[in-house]
Amino acid sequence: MTLHGGRVPAFTAVTLATSLVLSACSTPEPETEEEPVGDYVSFFWVEREVMVHTLDRMFTEGDPDQVVENIGDKRDRLFDTAIVREDEDGYAVELDNDEWNTEAVHNSGQIDGALADAMYNNEVTWCGEPVNGEEFVDAYMDEHWETLDTPEAYEASVVDYVDCGDGQP
């Protein structure tokens, strides 16, 4: 069925043209930065690294069963993504994020939320006076975010910090 003798109605043509112009000018959706690309390192990647290494040390220094119990309702996300796994020795943290099953969650924010719950609900007890894990991670980010240039430098810094160092690579 052809309307208007095969011509496109003026209203439809104007609407189509306006839509094309507006879509060409719109800002694309920002991409989330899961992994460092080249020398670019995202805030969220660094924070995630600190939380994962801190959680690993919590298992080593404390009672892993209690640490897992304290994580709360979001603990299943850490198991589903294989960040935390149960093995014959108890619980372990997978530090190699290439081994994580990130398809088990909708986005990295869900991983970050579960790790944040783990930090909020557990303490760092091995670096002097006990401190909430969230405060420990925040202290690192406050001191070291944007002070290093590469993923490798941040990785070395995080490992040093979690081992009670000053975080200087």
Side-chain angles (χ1 to χ4, degrees):
M1 179 169 126
T2 304
L3 296 176
H4 306 287
R7 297 181 321 217
V8 177
F11 175 76
T12 303
V14 170
T15 302
L16 179 61
T18 303
S19 296
L20 288 173
V21 168
L22 290 175
S23 67
C25 295
S26 67
T27 304
E29 287 294 314
E31 295 181 25
T32 58
E33 186 63 42
E34 296 297 322
E35 298 294 324
V37 177
D39 285 342
Y40 173 77
V41 183
S42 79
F43 176 90
F44 298 107
W45 182 85
V46 173
E47 185 179 53
R48 191 175 307 122
E49 287 294 304
V50 180
M51 289 189 288
V52 167
H53 282 275
T54 302
L55 182 59
D56 182 55
R57 187 69 181 262
M58 287 173 173
F59 284 169
T60 302
E61 298 293 333
D63 176 4
D65 291 322
Q66 187 64 52
V67 172
V68 168
E69 185 178 321
N70 290 347
I71 293 172
D73 296 340
K74 296 179 185 173
R75 81 175 132 256
D76 288 344
R77 291 180 188 167
L78 297 178
F79 285 99
D80 293 346
T81 56
I83 294 170
V84 173
R85 65 186 185 294
E86 190 169 11
D87 59 23
E88 62 276 353
D89 298 326
Y91 294 103
V93 175
E94 178 57 63
L95 298 174
D96 181 357
N97 53 19
D98 289 336
E99 298 297 318
W100 298 352
N101 177 19
T102 56
E103 293 176 5
V105 293
H106 295 291
N107 58 53
S108 61
Q110 290 185 313
I111 292 171
D112 295 341
L115 288 167
D117 277 7
M119 296 300 103
Y120 181 78
N121 294 311
N122 287 289
E123 288 187 329
V124 171
T125 59
W126 60 91
C127 289
E129 197 67 31
V131 62
N132 175 274
E134 181 180 42
E135 292 174 30
F136 185 77
V137 171
D138 288 347
Y140 176 86
M141 296 304 292
D142 290 346
E143 180 73 22
H144 298 288
W145 173 238
E146 294 186 320
T147 64
L148 303 169
D149 297 326
T150 65
E152 297 79 16
Y154 274 107
E155 287 170 0
S157 172
V158 167
V159 168
D160 179 69
Y161 179 76
V162 172
D163 285 343
C164 305
D166 61 7
Q168 299 302 317

